[in-house]
Amino acid sequence: MTHAMTTLTLRVNGEDHTVAFPAHHTLLEVLRERCGLTGTKHGCELGECGTCTVLVDGRAVLSCLMLAVETEDRSIETVEGLMDGNRLHPLQAAFADLGAAQCGYCTPGVLMTSKALLEADGDPSEAEIREALSGNLCRCTGYHKIVQAVLWAAARLRGEDSAPSAEVFYGSPPPGQEASSSSSSEAHDDD
Amino acid sequence: MTEPRAALNLIGKPFRRVDGRAKVTGQTRFADDLTFPRMCFMRLHRSTVPHARIVEIHLEKAEKMPGVLGFLTGEDLPVSFGILPMSRDEHGLAVGKVRYVGDPVVAVAALTEEQAEAAARAVEIEYEPLATISSVEEALANPEPRIHEHGSGGNLHRKKSMIFGDLEQGFEEADVIFEDTLFYGGNTHLAMEQHASVAVPEDDERVTLYSSTQIPHYVHRALARVLELPASRVRVVACPNGGGFGGKSDIMNHEIVTAKMALVLGRPVKISLTREEVFYCHRGRHPMLMHLRTGFGKDGSLKAQHLKTALDGGAYSSYGVASTLYAGALQTATYELPRYRFDTLRAFTNKPPCGPKRGHGTPQPRFGYEVHLDKAAHALGIDPADLRLRNLAPAGLITANWLQLSSVGLGRCIEAVVEGSGWRRRYGKLPHGRGLGLACGAYICGVGLPLYRGEMPHSGVQLKLDRSGGVAVFCGQAEIGQGSDSVLAAIVAEVLGIELADIRLVVADTDLTPVEFGSYASRVTVMMGNAAYDGAQRARELIATAVAERFEVDSERLVFAESRVFDAEDPEKGLSFAAAVAIAETRFGTLGTTGSYRPPTPPGRFQGSGVGPSPTYSYSAAVIEVEVDPATGLFDVEHVWIAHDIGRCINPALVVGQVEGSVYMGLGEVMMEEQAFRRLPPRLSGALVHKTPSLLEYKSPTFRDVPPVTTYLIEEPDPAGPFGAKEVGQGPLLPIPPAAANAVFDAVGVRVDQVPIHPHMILRALEDKARGKEGRFGPAAFPDVDFPRNLIVPTPAEGGDGTALNDPRSQKQAGRQAAKEKPSAASAPV
């Protein structure tokens, strides 16, 4: 079983990758196995979980369902391209600080879907965030911290100096009981 | 164990997890992200039939496929393995017979993954089919053919009965006795990362396995055993897990086979499982049938309980011996239950093996108990919150089944969710279709006994310090996403008064890191944390001694904070941490310390007492509000209030995340998740197959399915935990399924006594009620099973000493002792 090989130049995160691969290989396979960009993950390879989401011409796509040959002359963005130099993207910083990435496996896909959302709508409501991300499964977080992180990042991208409420970091103060020792949020900002 | 300090620098405040940056940049390297020169790929040919003898394996076609490098079959791996030493019934590849659809039979390695897949598909196997067992009932009715030759006879893996105290007396003292039968369906972990392993032969007879595992230490032991190599020549590295939830806490066939293949071929071998295969690996929640019979006083006081559980174990033992006991062991940890009987059995069935999923064996009986209590409260006319508060287990109690409790924050948890949800104003008073339900839970924070015998530490940590001021911390623990690395770093940083950025971790590598049993049983924070505290404290003492000599002050007066070491009474008098380490390095030579932890010896000493004991227990309480449409049976969870007794938060942001994740997973279990099977029609072989081995068909909650969650963290430092901390990874799941079921009752007045609750079940219960009946959907009866050979253990209140009156082990020992003593007595001069 040998397959015809295709040679193609993919533009990933603004850099050209000239790679040879079997023509039927998906963008997911080519990114991970030919470009060495293993930041993009897979959870099913059947289009069911959203884990492999990348951006193609700014749109969130499931890289397990797109053939790499379809992406010639198009702009591909992956999690590896989110940082600005050595500085985290506000989405990345918010995810890291809130614990919106627990195991971190669904995180690249969630980050890329969120980036596409925020580029289309800089001030999404919580419901709009949930709608946009409803194709991305996460088993760790229960989704709450992710929604809060996207809201926080959106605010920062709008230039607002807002931080999530103390409840996000500490839980709610137990009613009728002594407040816990500390109550102010002290997130890092050391991107 | 460790007394909390007056002022904490780091602990208790939210901080970015130490691996956070790697996780958001794509730099975290999971097992499938690894590549090595000359790496080839392996696929497994798995059984297509649920139960059969293997007549012949035909490799002829597969051998001719392009790129094929080699094959392995069961003959190549004759040594069995299993996570528990008493039930090693698994092989890397099937030997002689297959026991479920998905049982691995042949391994193929090829140059590419596609070639390996094609060759695996070309393997042909002749089977002689055997009758299949699909449920506990079928296992009880069909002792033949046996799925395994070991166990408690027929197709029963385990059967056990334990009576704690004078049960009859307890029921006699009761004014009312309630009985319920309930069922909890099976479900699976569904970690987003599919299991992957890469094995690398390092040189002659030496192999390294990189794997997505929660338990590198146990995989290490199993590999050495099966490969018949000295353990010193096997290295296991646990890569960060892309979610575990218990699904990677067993020794997996593919881990064994990959290592063997690498040794045979002399080149690196990778396997990355498909999602379908992950459903076959399973080790998830046991389907469990339960019967509870509980005696109460009129005032709601608990008098006695008899719990019976029947577990559908699937095709192999896995953790089954422990699961079977966890199905009853923690019932006594929440409410003071003076007398308790627990009968349990686990059956083998021709399905993927069940094992530990978040809560291991306890969410099912907890569901049973909390629904049962709700019904009892209703019948007794007592508010369900008050019924629980009235029976709260006190701190420090030794329970009827000999669990030593430490701190108990359950009362405060109940009060928080009752207050937060407006329970007193709203419970029982909401309009038809709206309802509130309350439930609680308790969970272990590590286990009292190791999985194999021995007195060695359960947790080990090693520190390397030098003049750079950096501290390297070595520990065998595996990060599975829960924040294990952050707990490890934070405890060391707190003790030494340095920043997280000054700490470098080396974890989960059996060559480089001290033994740590792994990421299971919610043991990381308490057990690893205490070992880390111990190691850091020793380093602190070395540095303090050297600095005290240099400054001529009492070492007791030295403070370690803000990356400095200084005199408490003259803070100007001090130096940087790096300079302090340099002084210690000058004084003592190269610096390194170790820390270790072994849990206290549990008070119970009867056979089976090893399951349940823990250094301490975490507590949770939840109130759930639901909206039920009586016309369709559809229900939605509108809000969850949950309180968790965490002892003390190491990092509250991660604690809240664990609570929210547990709530989500509990909601998935009660609302939709199901590891379900069906028989194909006879023309299609009649095989027993998984109904939904895909992420699309196996329903789990999405971003749009989760309700708002209000989380209360109850902090009451526990003397057993590092800085007073307890577990949070598993406990908060426990109250969720029963609280939802209880809320459905408050909403529409009917009971669904099983999980998951599907709309048609609510409808059926409503129809049942409309016909003037009970208004219930659930299992009819517990099978008629004989539980002979009860173990009888007097309770602490009855003056027991933790032993059974009739322990078969002690009787055997006594017999051996008597046999030994006889000749010597005869020969001794009188």
Side-chain angles (χ1 to χ4, degrees):
Chain A
M1 198 176 60
T2 47
H3 297 288
M5 298 291 276
T6 301
T7 303
L8 210 66
T9 299
L10 302 184
R11 189 150 188 83
V12 188
N13 303 321
E15 295 167 9
D16 285 344
H17 292 254
T18 302
V19 285
F21 55 91
H24 66 284
H25 272 200
T26 63
L27 177 58
L28 169 69
E29 289 169 297
V30 172
L31 285 172
R32 287 180 55 84
E33 294 161 16
R34 309 283 163 171
C35 302
L37 295 170
T38 54
T40 303
K41 307 300 178 199
H42 53 81
C44 65
E45 291 162 81
L46 294 167
E48 297 170 350
C49 67
T51 302
C52 66
T53 306
V54 300
L55 304 191
V56 176
D57 290 339
R59 283 194 55 196
V61 302
L62 299 174
S63 63
C64 74
L65 294 188
M66 180 173 267
L67 292 175
V69 291
E70 296 177 77
T71 62
E72 193 172 20
D73 299 326
R74 298 170 76 178
S75 156
I76 301 161
E77 291 171 74
T78 70
V79 69
E80 288 93 345
L82 269 181
M83 284 173 79
D84 175 12
N86 198 34
R87 199 177 162 77
L88 295 182
H89 185 281
L91 275 166
Q92 293 174 307
F95 272 62
D97 286 334
L98 293 190
Q102 278 188 26
C103 81
Y105 196 81
C106 75
T107 305
V110 172
L111 284 170
M112 298 318 288
T113 309
S114 302
K115 180 167 190 270
L117 168 71
L118 295 188
E119 277 169 8
D121 177 1
D123 191 8
S125 67
E126 183 177 329
E128 284 163 344
I129 294 170
R130 289 184 180 277
E131 173 73 32
L133 286 168
S134 59
N136 291 74
L137 291 178
C138 165
R139 287 295 276 176
C140 294
T141 60
Y143 304 115
H144 303 282
K145 292 268 179 282
I146 295 176
V147 174
Q148 286 146 358
V150 176
L151 285 168
W152 189 14
R156 285 187 54 188
L157 283 165
R158 292 193 304 271
E160 293 165 23
D161 183 25
S162 71
S165 66
E167 278 78 18
V168 174
F169 294 97
Y170 292 92
S172 301
Q177 298 180 26
E178 252 176 72
S180 66
S181 53
S182 184
S183 63
S184 67
S185 60
E186 295 177 35
H188 292 219
D189 196 8
D190 59 344
D191 341 325
Chain B
M1 172 72 31
T2 54
E3 71 266 31
R5 286 143 188 263
L8 295 171
N9 296 309
L10 185 69
I11 281 172
K13 295 178 187 130
F15 58 86
R16 177 182 287 179
R17 50 186 303 152
V18 298
D19 49 1
R21 194 175 165 97
K23 284 178 194 275
V24 298
T25 53
Q27 285 169 351
T28 301
R29 299 223 295 165
F30 297 93
D32 192 35
D33 299 336
L34 304 180
T35 54
F36 293 87
R38 290 187 77 232
M39 187 173 82
C40 65
F41 297 85
M42 192 178 85
R43 300 292 302 153
L44 297 172
H45 178 97
R46 294 176 181 266
S47 172
T48 53
V49 294
H51 197 195
R53 280 193 196 88
I54 298 170
V55 178
E56 201 159 356
I57 296 173
H58 297 283
L59 301 178
E60 302 81 10
K61 276 190 203 163
E63 277 166 346
K64 294 192 188 102
M65 303 290 286
V68 167
L69 297 169
F71 295 85
L72 293 174
T73 67
E75 281 176 16
D76 300 306
L77 289 157
V79 180
S80 70
F81 62 89
I83 187 74
L84 302 183
M86 71 280 268
S87 56
R88 292 189 184 113
D89 60 3
E90 296 188 61
H91 286 87
L93 297 161
V95 174
K97 68 185 258 185
V98 292
R99 297 178 173 87
Y100 67 99
V101 172
D103 216 352
V105 187
V106 177
V108 190
L111 291 173
T112 71
E113 196 172 24
E114 279 169 289
Q115 288 170 334
E117 174 68 26
R121 283 177 190 275
V123 168
E124 290 170 335
I125 299 177
E126 273 178 61
Y127 293 111
E128 178 193 328
L130 296 166
T132 58
I133 305 291
S134 75
S135 65
V136 169
E137 289 79 0
E138 285 183 16
L140 288 166
N142 300 287
E144 298 287 339
R146 292 186 78 182
I147 295 174
H148 286 283
E149 294 306 312
H150 71 91
S152 296
N155 280 307
L156 285 190
H157 173 205
R158 223 40 174 197
K159 194 157 82 164
K160 188 106 183 155
S161 173
M162 295 187 275
I163 303 176
F164 301 99
D166 188 340
L167 199 78
E168 277 85 47
Q169 178 64 30
F171 279 112
E172 251 168 55
E173 288 172 18
D175 296 312
V176 275
I177 294 170
F178 297 107
E179 292 193 52
D180 279 300
T181 308
L182 305 100
F183 178 72
Y184 199 111
N187 51 59
T188 200
H189 318 84
L190 208 77
M192 293 316 299
E193 178 204 29
Q194 301 123 307
H195 305 245
S197 300
V198 188
V200 182
E202 301 290 357
D203 52 46
D204 290 352
E205 305 265 284
R206 209 179 252 272
V207 65
T208 301
L209 182 80
Y210 301 86
S211 195
S212 40
T213 177
Q214 303 174 227
I215 49 158
H217 173 65
Y218 293 113
V219 173
H220 180 213
R221 285 172 66 89
L223 276 182
R225 180 185 157 81
V226 176
L227 301 175
E228 299 177 272
L229 288 175
S232 57
R233 297 198 200 144
V234 176
R235 175 186 181 200
V236 177
V237 180
C239 298
N241 286 202
F245 317 112
K248 294 165 184 162
S249 67
D250 208 341
I251 302 148
M252 295 294 171
N253 307 69
H254 64 266
E255 294 177 317
I256 302 283
V257 181
T258 310
K260 178 73 178 178
M261 188 68 94
L263 284 173
V264 169
L265 297 180
R267 63 194 292 170
V269 179
K270 179 192 272 192
I271 187 166
S272 180
L273 300 193
T274 65
R275 178 55 63 182
E276 182 179 353
E277 288 181 289
V278 175
F279 278 93
Y280 299 145
C281 288
H282 192 44
R283 322 282 155 160
R285 187 85 70 223
H286 285 78
M288 199 184 294
L289 187 63
M290 299 163 274
H291 183 267
L292 291 104
R293 180 168 181 263
T294 307
F296 294 86
K298 264 187 235 132
D299 60 352
S301 55
L302 287 162
K303 302 295 184 193
Q305 182 175 96
H306 182 181
L307 168 70
K308 289 192 274 191
T309 60
L311 288 73
D312 177 347
Y316 289 94
S317 291
S318 178
Y319 280 84
V321 173
S323 318
T324 310
L325 295 173
Y326 273 124
L330 302 191
Q331 294 295 86
T332 54
T334 42
Y335 318 113
E336 195 164 6
L337 184 60
R339 294 178 170 102
Y340 178 48
R341 174 173 173 171
F342 170 44
D343 299 339
T344 183
L345 66 88
R346 182 177 192 261
F348 286 124
T349 56
N350 294 112
K351 299 188 286 192
C354 296
K357 184 188 171 192
R358 212 169 195 169
H360 192 188
T362 74
Q364 304 97 318
R366 179 53 59 186
F367 168 76
Y369 197 2
E370 297 291 323
V371 170
H372 182 62
L373 277 180
D374 201 65
K375 293 185 186 187
H378 202 71
L380 289 163
I382 300 173
D383 184 293
D386 292 333
L387 181 66
R388 289 170 170 89
L389 288 168
R390 188 163 305 175
N391 287 293
L392 276 187
L397 176 75
I398 299 179
T399 67
N401 62 337
W402 293 88
L403 304 182
Q404 172 69 64
L405 306 186
S406 183
S407 68
V408 177
L410 181 57
R412 286 179 62 193
C413 289
I414 295 174
E415 283 157 13
V417 294
V418 161
E419 191 70 29
S421 66
W423 176 268
R424 302 279 180 204
R425 289 180 282 115
R426 302 171 67 227
Y427 170 70
K429 300 179 187 106
L430 293 172
H432 188 67
R434 270 260 165 183
L436 290 176
L438 172 93
C440 303
Y443 202 62
I444 51 174
C445 304
V447 278
L449 296 173
L451 294 187
Y452 58 89
R453 282 167 198 270
E455 305 289 309
M456 291 178 284
H458 294 212
S459 294
V461 170
Q462 214 168 343
L463 268 65
K464 183 222 87 176
L465 308 88
D466 65 32
R467 59 204 88 171
S468 70
V471 177
V473 182
F474 300 80
C475 178
Q477 189 52 269
E479 172 64 74
I480 64 169
Q482 83 278 51
S484 154
D485 284 359
S486 298
V487 168
L488 180 61
I491 287 172
V492 173
E494 182 68 50
V495 172
L496 297 178
I498 57 179
E499 290 180 23
L500 289 168
D502 296 321
I503 291 181
R504 179 67 54 195
L505 300 182
V506 179
V507 299
D509 182 328
T510 59
D511 261 11
L512 304 181
T513 59
V515 171
E516 220 295 336
F517 284 160
S519 236
Y520 65 98
S522 268
R523 54 185 300 291
V524 173
T525 296
V526 169
M527 301 181 103
M528 176 197 77
N530 276 326
Y533 184 94
D534 183 32
Q537 195 63 35
R538 290 187 201 194
R540 190 181 195 273
E541 279 161 23
L542 282 179
I543 299 164
T545 302
V547 172
E549 281 176 13
R550 181 71 62 94
F551 283 170
E552 295 177 343
V553 296
D554 185 355
S555 70
E556 300 287 306
R557 274 179 30 184
L558 292 175
V559 176
F560 286 62
E562 292 164 359
S563 299
R564 287 181 75 239
V565 180
F566 56 89
D567 184 348
E569 286 167 29
D570 179 9
E572 293 298 304
K573 195 166 159 191
L575 69 182
S576 72
F577 179 77
V581 175
I583 291 172
E585 218 181 327
T586 309
R587 169 74 173 76
F588 296 109
T590 301
L591 295 177
T593 62
T594 58
S596 42
Y597 179 75
R598 262 188 66 206
T601 306
R605 288 181 288 148
F606 52 92
Q607 190 180 33
S609 61
V611 170
S614 172
T616 181
Y617 299 83
S618 77
Y619 292 89
S620 310
V623 168
I624 287 182
E625 182 164 353
V626 298
E627 173 88 36
V628 183
D629 178 355
T632 61
L634 286 168
F635 77 106
D636 267 327
V637 173
E638 301 293 325
H639 201 110
V640 177
W641 294 265
I642 181 155
H644 182 72
D645 165 22
I646 180 69
R648 181 194 293 277
C649 296
I650 302 289
N651 180 347
L654 295 195
V655 172
V656 172
Q658 286 300 310
V659 173
E660 289 172 349
S662 295
V663 167
Y664 148 87
M665 201 165 273
L667 289 174
E669 295 194 11
V670 70
M671 296 184 75
M672 58 188 88
E673 293 186 33
E674 219 165 358
Q675 171 96 339
F677 297 82
R678 68 191 173 105
R679 278 189 199 284
L680 296 177
R683 66 185 171 82
L684 293 174
S685 82
L688 191 60
V689 295
H690 199 296
K691 263 170 112 172
T692 59
S694 86
L695 278 173
L696 196 62
E697 301 300 324
Y698 180 94
K699 301 296 178 203
S700 67
T702 72
F703 269 91
R704 297 178 66 188
D705 298 316
V706 292
V709 176
T710 302
T711 300
Y712 306 115
L713 302 180
I714 304 299
E715 296 202 74
E716 206 170 278
D718 188 294
F723 297 100
K726 300 202 217 183
E727 76 88 37
V728 62
Q730 308 192 61
L733 182 147
L734 293 160
I736 300 304
N742 293 339
V744 167
F745 174 75
D746 187 44
V748 288
V750 297
R751 294 281 177 188
V752 176
D753 287 342
Q754 73 181 58
V755 166
I757 299 174
H758 290 306
H760 77 271
M761 299 174 182
I762 296 178
L763 276 189
R764 289 267 297 278
L766 285 166
E767 286 159 15
D768 188 52
K769 195 179 184 191
R771 283 196 299 267
K773 295 197 184 144
E774 204 186 347
R776 170 181 180 271
F777 184 96
F782 193 87
D784 193 16
V785 186
D786 215 16
F787 287 96
R789 296 198 298 155
N790 307 310
L791 203 62
I792 298 164
V793 186
T795 66
E798 290 172 348
D801 64 357
T803 61
L805 298 178
N806 55 343
D807 196 324
R809 280 185 319 189
S810 53
Q811 282 169 349
K812 255 188 241 162
Q813 273 161 11
R816 273 200 296 270
Q817 197 62 30
K820 248 191 255 166
E821 277 164 13
K822 249 181 216 159
S824 64
S827 60
V830 182

